[in-house]
């Protein structure tokens, strides 16, 4: 087999893997040893990757060898230096040890029921990799081992009948000796999969894949496995102290409380899920007293939804016991009012019947925020200070979690300015994430001068710079000196996130402070342009003030803004919102912005992901298409430079501006064709190639044929390409049908008065018919091969009959 090319060798090995008998087994064993020898000695990426693909073809016939070999190979990848068949940016990026590790893990995933515990160990180790792709591949392996598969669980035709044995091996593995310090997330994820109430399966034939689902049955072994999994999670829960881990564990536990996605299920499944749910709720109820407030809130929230979806009275009663314990905790209720983004504020019975009234809840919490702020005085301030600092410890990746707490802190600053100022001075680190509402309240009050002095000191020391920038967002009392000093300090420390916020803050005040454009916005954009940072658009794209500002910029200022957008990997709808007001004033300047982006793209390394010209526009084309003559003339001026891959850049840009080929655009292109100049005709064809051969192109293509020589094969071929383009087709015979429809649409040209049109049409129609014929043959052969490989479900319908 060594002399075969890889694709032929794979075909032979695949057929051999299907062959029973000692001879086939011995041959596969020999081949496996050869492959593993290469994997243990070679250092060339291409050779190693091809050997993994070969082994993957028949690994299920030699599972012991395959698992042991992949274990050694993954270990070897940590030390070897790969050689590559070619040198390129693509190879440096994608031909890496990580890619080989992913291929090895994918192979092991398909052997997961042969050597389950060994593969669990391998995947668990790989899950802690610092490479995202390897970590994701390992996570997928773990998930596939733990999840229920109908074809593995049940017995019968092409079914393994293993029951819950794989899941039992997973919980055995977890209980044995998993190092939670390193594998906590993976262990919890495995438990979530074990407690899922759903199982899936698939069936194939030559034409389709059918996904099936059902409920996990309430067998004795499933119940025992779920009970052990919950016990394992409870044990971990009592070992963990941090909020994030406890939230993950609660989520995993409550997987056992979910009802199956399948519409109907027998009573024994409901009983199993009810028992698991009451067990979890009772466990969490017992631990409420000692938990931090965010965990109590999580328990309250999840218990309510168990109550809402309770399958039995026992679940409802267990959930209400948690409700009663929570309602008796006065300190927690203050936390819920101020930080309770997941809290349940209504009576559970009422909310279940009528739903949540979020406006009423918001008004209630605002009233409580004011009430709490007004209740503070010198006698209780120390208690409130400790409470505020404790509430500030709540972790969240989204500051929208804290709107009412922000509201409360701003009211504290308004009604008790000295207390708020002291809090900022005495506990700046603890209060850091909540500096903004305190500053806003102080800035609007009597202690503005003292607050300004405090901020000036912070800026000097490089502290709380982002909070100060946010203070002036949509603020009627902007201090330009403070913003100027902040700008200079941000530049000194290289805080580019601060520059972006400062641009947004200044733009939000454009109506009252237009001078901020020259003093803050444009200088900040210049700094960010030098470091290739265009993310500032996300601070302004949605703002009416920013759009008004952009529409009133002069040419030099517009160019600074456009230069600031060149680093964007793609011009998406956010960028378009910034470009539209600029294009309304000077569409040519915006077109030259796209020309500059082409130069940037040419300077990027291979595979960088930068796209100079967007695939399509969302709204910008509505502005640019109003100047068709100008648009075409500008892009034509690029054609002679030349631009590499002009069709897909300059040509595609015009297609994006004029997607429906409007009359004014068509007229301009006709004028260029009518000159008879080869360069102009060639340009028009490069533009037309971006369309999908629609009927509206026929007239201009006919005009082109009248202005080119019949012995110019390059231009004639280009016209054929334009007319033959189909865009997306559907079905096995989609392309063949599209070619036949094209041939039929061009048939009237055979009667054209011009002989050059008739001759061209005759040749193109014959080509299209030959292509359609070949496509039909290919599709039929492909269907026959798939029927042989996968079989046919029911009657052997010919797909062609359904087209």
């Amino acid at each position: 087999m060594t002399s075969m090319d890889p694709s032929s060798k794979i075909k032979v090995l695949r057929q051999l893997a299907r062959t029973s008998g000692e001879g086939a087994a011995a041959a596969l064993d020999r081949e496996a040893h050869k492959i593993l020898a290469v994997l243990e000695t070679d250092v060339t990426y291409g050779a190693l990757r091809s050997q993994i693909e070969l082994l993957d073809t028949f690994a299920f016939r030699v599972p012991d060898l395959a698992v042991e070999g992949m274990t050694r190979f993954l270990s070897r990848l940590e030390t070897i230096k790969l050689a590559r068949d070619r040198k390129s940016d693509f190879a440096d990026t994608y031909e890496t040890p990580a890619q080989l590790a992913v291929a090895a893990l994918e192979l092991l995933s398909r052997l997961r029921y042969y050597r389950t515990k060994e593969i669990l160990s391998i995947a668990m180790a790989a899950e802690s990799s610092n490479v995202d792709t390897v970590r994701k591949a390992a996570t997928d392996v773990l998930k596939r081992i733990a999840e229920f598969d109908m074809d593995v669980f049940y017995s019968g035709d092409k079914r393994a009948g293993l029951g819950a044995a794989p899941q039992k091996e997973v919980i055995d593995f977890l209980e044995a000796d998993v190092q939670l310090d390193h594998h906590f997330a993976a262990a919890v994820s495995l438990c979530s999969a074990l407690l899922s109430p759903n199982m899936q399966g698939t069936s194939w034939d030559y034409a389709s894949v059918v996904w099936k689902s059902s409920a996990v049955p309430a067998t004795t072994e499933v119940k025992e496995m779920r009970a052990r999994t919950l016990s394992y999670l409870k044990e971990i829960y009592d070992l963990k102290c941090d909020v994030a881990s406890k939230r993950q564990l609660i989520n995993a536990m409550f997987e056992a409380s979910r009802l199956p996605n399948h519409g109907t299920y027998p009573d024994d499944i409901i009983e199993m899920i009810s028992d698991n749910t009451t067990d979890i709720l009772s466990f969490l109820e017992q631990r409420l007293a000692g938990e931090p407030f965010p965990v109590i809130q999580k328990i309250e929230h999840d218990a309510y939804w168990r109550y809402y979806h309770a399958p039995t009275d026992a679940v409802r009663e267990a959930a209400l016991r948690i409700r009663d314990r929570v309602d008796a905790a006065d300190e927690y209720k203050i936390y819920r009012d101020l930080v309770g983004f997941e809290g349940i504020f209504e009576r559970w019975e009422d909310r279940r019947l009528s739903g949540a009234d979020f406006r009423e809840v918001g008004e209630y919490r605002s009233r409580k925020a004011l009430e709490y702020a007004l209740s503070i005085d010198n006698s209780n301030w120390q208690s409130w200070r400790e409470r505020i600092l404790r509430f500030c410890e709540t972790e969240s990746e989204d500051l929208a979690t804290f709107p009412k707490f922000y509201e409360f802190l701003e009211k504290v600053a308004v009604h008790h300015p000295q207390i708020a100022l002291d809090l900022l001075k005495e506990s700046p680190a603890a209060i850091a994430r909540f500096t903004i509402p305190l500053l806003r309240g102080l800035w609007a009050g009597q202690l503005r001068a003292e607050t300004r002095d405090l901020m000036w000191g912070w800026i000097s020391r490089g502290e709380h710079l982002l909070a100060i920038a946010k203070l002036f967002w949509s603020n009627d009392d902007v201090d330009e000196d403070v913003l100027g000093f902040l700008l200079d300090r941000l530049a000194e420390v290289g805080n580019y996130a601060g520059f972006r916020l400062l641009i947004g803050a200044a733009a939000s005040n454009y109506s009252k402070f237009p001078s901020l454009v020259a003093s803050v916005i444009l200088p900040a954009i210049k700094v960010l342009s030098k470091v290739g940072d265009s993310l500032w658009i996300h601070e302004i794209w949605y703002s009416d003030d920013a759009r008004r500002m952009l529409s009133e910029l002069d040419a030099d200022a517009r160019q600074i803004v456009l230069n600031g957008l060149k680093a964007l990997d793609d011009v998406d709808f956010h960028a378009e919102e910034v470009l539209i007001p600029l294009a309304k004033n000077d569409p040519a300047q915006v077109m030259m912005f796209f020309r500059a982006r082409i130069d940037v793209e040419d300077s990027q390394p291979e595979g960088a992901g930068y796209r100079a010209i967007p695939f399509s526009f969302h709204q910008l084309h509505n502005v640019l298409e109003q100047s068709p003559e100008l648009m075409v003339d500008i892009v034509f001026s690029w054609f002679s430079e030349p631009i590499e891959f002009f069709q897909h850049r300059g040509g595609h840009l015009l297609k994006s501006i004029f997607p429906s080929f409007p009359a004014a655009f068509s007229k301009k292109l006709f004028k260029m064709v009518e000159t008879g100049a080869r360069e102009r005709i060639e340009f028009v064809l490069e533009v037309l190639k971006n369309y999908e051969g629609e009927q509206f192109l026929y007239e201009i293509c006919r005009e082109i044929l009248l202005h080119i020589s019949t012995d110019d094969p390059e231009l004639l071929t280009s016209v054929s390409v334009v007319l033959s383009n189909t865009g997306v087709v559907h079905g096995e015979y989609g392309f063949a049908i599209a070619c036949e429809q094209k041939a039929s649409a061009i048939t009237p040209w055979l009667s054209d008065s011009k002989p050059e049109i008739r001759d061209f049409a005759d040749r193109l129609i014959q080509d299209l018919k030959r292509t359609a014929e070949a496509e039909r043959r290919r599709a039929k052969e492909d269907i026959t091969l798939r029927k042989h490989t996968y079989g046919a479900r029911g009657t052997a319908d010919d797909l062609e009959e359904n087209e």
Side-chain angles (χ1 to χ4, degrees), residues 195-393:
L195 294 172
S196 171
N198 302 302
M199 63 167 57
Q200 284 76 40
T202 56
S203 62
W204 298 66
D205 73 354
Y206 78 98
S208 62
V209 181
V210 176
W211 275 268
K212 300 171 288 185
S213 66
S214 71
V216 173
T219 63
T220 300
E221 61 177 349
V222 168
K223 290 178 181 179
E224 290 175 353
M225 182 275 301
R226 286 166 68 94
R228 287 175 62 190
T229 304
L230 286 173
S231 295
Y232 178 75
L233 290 170
K234 292 174 190 176
E235 183 180 339
I236 301 175
Y237 187 94
D238 287 335
L239 295 174
K240 291 291 182 180
C241 298
D242 62 293
V243 170
S245 295
K246 290 197 170 189
R247 288 179 64 89
Q248 290 180 59
L249 289 162
I250 292 169
N251 285 336
M253 287 184 203
F254 275 126
E255 275 294 303
S257 72
R258 287 200 303 119
L259 293 169
N261 296 337
H262 200 261
T264 57
Y265 26 85
D267 291 343
D268 60 346
I269 292 178
I270 294 176
E271 182 183 354
M272 176 181 72
I273 291 171
S274 176
D275 290 344
N276 290 155
T277 306
T278 55
D279 179 43
I280 297 163
L281 291 169
S282 297
F283 171 79
L284 294 174
E285 180 196 352
Q286 293 166 15
R287 279 146 185 81
L288 275 173
E291 297 292 17
F293 291 153
V295 174
I296 296 175
Q297 180 178 243
K298 169 70 174 170
I299 295 172
E300 176 193 26
H301 175 270
D302 289 1
Y304 168 74
W305 287 108
R306 303 291 88 70
Y307 167 81
Y308 187 89
H309 295 291
T312 63
D313 289 339
V315 171
R316 272 188 287 275
E317 290 165 5
L320 288 173
R321 285 196 296 272
I322 286 180
R323 188 272 312 272
D324 295 340
R325 289 281 299 276
V326 167
D327 283 349
D330 293 336
E331 190 68 16
Y332 169 73
K333 287 195 287 187
I334 298 174
Y335 176 86
R336 181 172 61 189
D337 289 339
L338 296 179
V339 194
F341 57 98
E342 285 187 318
I344 308 299
F345 295 88
E346 309 95 322
R347 287 183 72 252
W348 289 18
E349 296 88 346
D350 296 341
R351 178 168 173 172
R352 185 171 182 270
L353 292 173
S354 59
D357 187 336
F358 294 109
R359 185 177 62 179
E360 184 176 327
V361 169
E363 291 172 352
Y364 160 79
R365 294 181 66 196
S366 291
R367 290 194 303 272
K368 295 299 290 185
L370 177 59
E371 177 187 320
Y372 291 140
L374 292 175
S375 73
I376 296 174
D377 56 32
N378 291 332
S379 66
N380 63 14
W381 166 238
Q382 281 308 312
S383 297
W384 268 105
R385 183 179 182 281
E386 292 173 8
R387 185 178 287 130
I388 289 169
L389 295 180
R390 187 164 65 251
F391 291 1
C392 288
E393 294 173 359

Side-chain angles (χ1 to χ4, degrees), residues 606-653:
E606 185 180 357
Y610 185 94
R611 185 162 62 176
I613 309 300
F615 180 76
S616 63
F617 289 122
H618 296 267
Q619 296 292 333
L620 182 60
H621 64 285
N622 294 328
V623 178
L624 296 178
E625 71 177 0
Q626 296 175 25
S627 309
E629 295 260 352
L630 178 62
M631 299 296 100
V632 174
D633 288 342
I634 289 173
V635 177
F636 177 63
S637 71
W638 306 346
F639 187 64
S640 58
E641 294 185 22
I643 291 177
E644 193 175 8
F645 307 118
F646 179 85
Q647 173 193 336
H648 305 292
R649 298 161 104 181
H652 186 79
L653 177 59

Side-chain angles (χ1 to χ4, degrees), residues 6 125 142 168 192 234 422 439 452 508 520 531 637 728 735 762 775:
L142 294 171
K168 181 179 179 298
S192 294
K234 292 174 190 176
D422 291 343
L439 288 178
R452 188 180 190 275
S508 72
V520 174
V531 297
S637 71
V728 178
F735 187 60
D762 183 57
E775 274 298 301

Side-chain angles (χ1 to χ4, degrees), residues 424 428-429 431-432 435 439 458-459 462-469 486:
L424 288 171
I431 205 78
T435 301
L439 288 178
W458 284 348
I459 295 171
E463 300 171 354
H464 305 293
L465 302 182
L466 302 186
I468 296 170
L486 180 58

Side-chain angles (χ1 to χ4, degrees), residues 415-540:
H415 295 285
H416 309 286
Q418 191 59 56
I419 283 176
L421 190 60
D422 291 343
L423 186 61
L424 288 171
K425 289 178 179 179
E426 296 166 4
S427 306
I431 205 78
R433 289 187 301 151
F434 303 96
T435 301
I436 300 164
L438 292 171
L439 288 178
R440 291 186 76 92
L442 287 167
W443 193 254
Q446 300 173 349
L447 298 184
R448 179 183 296 185
E450 292 86 343
T451 304
R452 188 180 190 275
D453 291 341
L454 178 65
M455 292 193 304
W456 202 268
W458 284 348
I459 295 171
S460 300
R461 296 189 297 274
E463 300 171 354
H464 305 293
L465 302 182
L466 302 186
I468 296 170
K470 288 186 177 181
L471 162 65
F472 292 109
W473 205 290
S474 299
N475 195 319
D476 291 339
D477 295 311
V478 170
D479 189 316
E480 293 194 52
D481 290 337
V482 171
L483 287 182
F485 185 30
L486 180 58
L487 179 70
D488 294 339
R489 194 72 181 97
L490 289 168
E492 290 175 15
V493 300
N495 188 327
Y496 303 122
F499 275 107
R500 297 194 290 267
L501 282 177
L502 204 54
I503 290 168
S508 72
N509 293 290
Y510 175 72
S511 297
K512 291 191 176 181
F513 299 94
S515 59
L516 292 175
V517 173
S519 63
V520 174
I521 295 175
L522 297 179
I525 292 176
K526 285 181 180 179
V527 171
L528 292 174
S529 298
K530 290 178 182 178
V531 297
D533 187 335
S534 297
L535 297 179
W536 53 269
I537 66 163
H538 296 294
E539 307 297 339
I540 72 168

